[in-house]
Amino acid sequence: MESTRSEGDELIEDYVECLMSLDANARPCENDNSSLATHAEDPTSIPVGIIVQPIRELAPVGAEDNKEPTLGMEFESDEAAKSFYNDYARRLGFPFRVGRSRRSKGVEEVLIMKRFVCSKEGIYRKKPSSEGTRKRERISMREGCKAMMEVIRDSDRWVVSKLEKAHNHHLGTCSRVGYLRARGFIDTSDKASIVASDAMTLLRQNAFGEGGDAQGLLDYFKRMQADNPAFFYSIQVDNNSCVTNAFWADSKARTAYGYFGDAVVFDTTYKKNKYMMPFITFSGVNHHLQPVIFGCALLIDETEFSFIWLFETWLAAMGGRPPVSLVTDQNRAMAAAIAKVFPNTCHRFCKWLILSRSKQKLAHVYSAHPTLRGELEECVIKSETIEAFEARWASVIDKYDLRKNTWLQALFNIRQKWIPLYSKDTFFAEISSMQKLETMSDLYKKYFNTKTSLKVFLTQFELAMADRFEDEAQADFETLCTKPNLKTASPIEKQASAIYTRAVFNKFQEEFVESLGYNVYKIKDGATSKFSVTRDEDSLETFIVSYNAGKKTATCSCKNFEFSGILCRHVLGVFLMIDVRVLPKEYFLQRWTRNAKVGAIMNEHSAELQNTCQESITSRYNDLCRDAIRCAEKGATSVKIYKAAKDVLKKAYDNIIAFEKSTSKGVQRDVININEEITIDDAINDQSLQDPERKVTNLLGQLLGSSWSP
């Protein structure tokens, strides 16, 4: 039979074995795109189907289950050995095939040996063709690689008898699309059959360069983690061991999330430019109303499974505490993943992205009615109640006879998912209806171009983040060293000016001044009084403020405080009417104040974090890193504090080592609870240890401020 094989049979065998090795243990997805569309009845069809591969997660750095094959290793069956070698090949980045097998002699031919070899094993030898015949020359992937693992049957076990782990070629850059196209299995003119693959290939090239090699990204991650152990990264690979998605967050991003992670924006605006890096950010707004990054990702594959992986990875990096609210673009797979990973987070679509997309969807309508766009946007942005919004929307639709417009009808049907008025009872950190953070698309236009390589991109992004930190430092300086202009003699305005940052105070001042123009009427007496607040007598937008005199608290039907975190003009109008001189402290959210970064991070979640940190070394490590970063931030503010911080941390480390030694007898390292209270010297006062029960937390509290607690 060997002599009758055609010239291309050996190459086709390589191809089939390669695909089998890559898909051997494919993880099933809910949207099962992993199956290859094979049709036996159609001899012209090739087993390509959907080229986008199922995704597997690469174990985080330091995982203990990445075993290497060794001589003498035993398996229950030959299939178990093949499965193990498949996982090993996937991690290293090479396809493999069954190179040889042998059966026993006799009546019952039993399989007794199987050899798994790298798909580049052997040398392809072109067979001479008959004169006058012309065959298309094919490119072989065989390069004489000797890497292999051979297993033999030993009773009821299979044992590794021969092993070679060295390869003679580069690992980790395999590309199935390129492999198929180079061998003529894919007609490059047949774009319909490979459109999904081509899109992914373009994104991979934008991210990793023409070869799709992610080594540069991995080198960047390793360098960042070497410089800062709190740097977090994780990588997702496909069955070809090619990097598909990657996530990372530096220490500043993880610390910032502790202060401002209650409201998050998941920015995927890179999709507006097909040449843009597939770069995604988790972001929010700080106490100066400036954008702040909570993590970054390169997302080439946009399946529900990939989004779940990304969200779970990000959540782990942020200490396991989900945000209160999350704003994203419209995407079915993304929405499904969010519902699973963040079941208690309020998810809303970004109104700005929907309004921007409406420019395209309604281009012909906008052209025919030039004033329509402005009226629609005003309806969305300036309406203050649900009733007013729905009345205005209906008025605009009727005015331009757009009842049958499918796009507008669809937007109205999902209005609860993107109009902020329908989620006002949840905190979104949106102080102004016009508030619009700088998107990744905006950042891309400012710092990058279509030919920016990944290495340059990462460098430029670091510079962009450095600019943002400078902006924050400048805002801190202006808040602390300058005084705002007060527009009234009210003690409430003066109180707010001393507590809020400058940017937030300016927004509060707008609300306070506007409150002077509202009419306030008392409509109910009692322990809880009610007031009607309106600007005009015939206004459609009337608000009801409830005031509890005993607790000195008020709530408004507009729910602006719940939504943005600062008091609305309606409550302020009532306070002025009933002569409230000073605002209760609960109306000043710490995240908007000058002291947003002072004191404990997320005190309300400290108990939850303590419980979580008992679960694994990784969670305990991350928790301690967060505390260490806070020490570093405070310790770097002056030379004197820096010296004290160094002394405190050194003595704390020495005492941890001493504690470890005292408890190590007969106890495994992993069960030592480093979160327990440890005695150390009082380094700041340079005194010897007086109280043997003095705690590390007390000293760190002195360094960070009296309000700090673990």
Side-chain angles (χ1 to χ4, degrees), residues 80-248:
K82 182 177 180 180
S83 176
F84 168 82
Y85 200 67
N86 176 70
D87 289 339
Y88 169 70
R90 176 178 58 82
R91 290 198 306 273
L92 266 64
F94 69 92
F96 78 97
R97 55 188 170 84
V98 178
R100 181 178 298 179
S101 62
R102 186 167 64 244
R103 294 181 177 273
S104 61
K105 297 180 180 179
V107 179
E108 294 185 4
E109 295 185 353
V110 179
L111 187 67
I112 58 174
M113 185 275 286
K114 187 173 283 189
R115 180 182 297 173
F116 310 107
V117 301
C118 173
S119 290
K120 292 179 182 269
E121 180 267 351
I123 301 296
Y124 170 68
R125 294 178 177 83
K126 183 179 179 180
K127 298 179 181 179
S129 57
S130 304
E131 292 185 6
T133 62
R134 187 175 181 181
K135 295 185 178 180
R136 181 173 60 181
E137 184 176 353
R138 299 179 184 269
I139 302 174
S140 173
M141 71 181 293
R142 300 196 178 189
E143 299 179 6
C145 182
K146 297 185 180 298
M148 62 89 182
M149 183 182 79
E150 181 179 295
V151 291
I152 59 174
R153 182 190 291 269
D154 182 8
S155 183
D156 61 342
R157 310 287 292 177
W158 287 78
V159 183
V160 177
S161 59
K162 294 181 181 180
L163 180 65
E164 175 59 58
K165 295 194 286 186
H167 294 258
N168 67 348
H169 55 89
H170 184 62
L171 302 178
T173 58
C174 41
S175 170
R176 180 182 300 191
V177 177
Y179 180 55
L180 298 179
R181 186 177 287 119
R183 285 149 186 77
F185 289 111
I186 296 180
D187 183 356
T188 55
S189 63
D190 188 10
K191 296 183 180 179
S193 64
I194 58 171
V195 61
S197 174
D198 281 349
M200 180 172 286
T201 302
L202 177 61
L203 287 173
R204 191 188 300 278
Q205 288 178 357
N206 286 347
F208 306 127
E210 290 296 326
D213 186 2
Q215 188 60 47
L217 182 64
L218 294 175
D219 291 342
Y220 170 78
F221 288 161
K222 291 176 181 178
R223 175 174 62 82
M224 294 296 290
Q225 196 168 69
D227 293 341
N228 188 340
F231 183 88
F232 180 101
Y233 73 93
S234 186
I235 293 173
Q236 192 182 38
V237 298
D238 61 16
N239 279 344
N240 216 9
S241 291
C242 294
V243 173
T244 307
N245 304 315
F247 167 80
W248 68 97

Side-chain angles (χ1 to χ4, degrees), residues 267 269 272 276 436-448:
D267 184 359
T269 52
K272 294 172 67 176
M276 187 175 172
K436 186 178 181 182
L437 293 180
E438 182 181 47
T439 65
M440 194 55 221
S441 182
D442 300 328
L443 197 68
Y444 194 88
K445 293 174 184 177
K446 185 182 298 185
Y447 290 94
F448 314 108

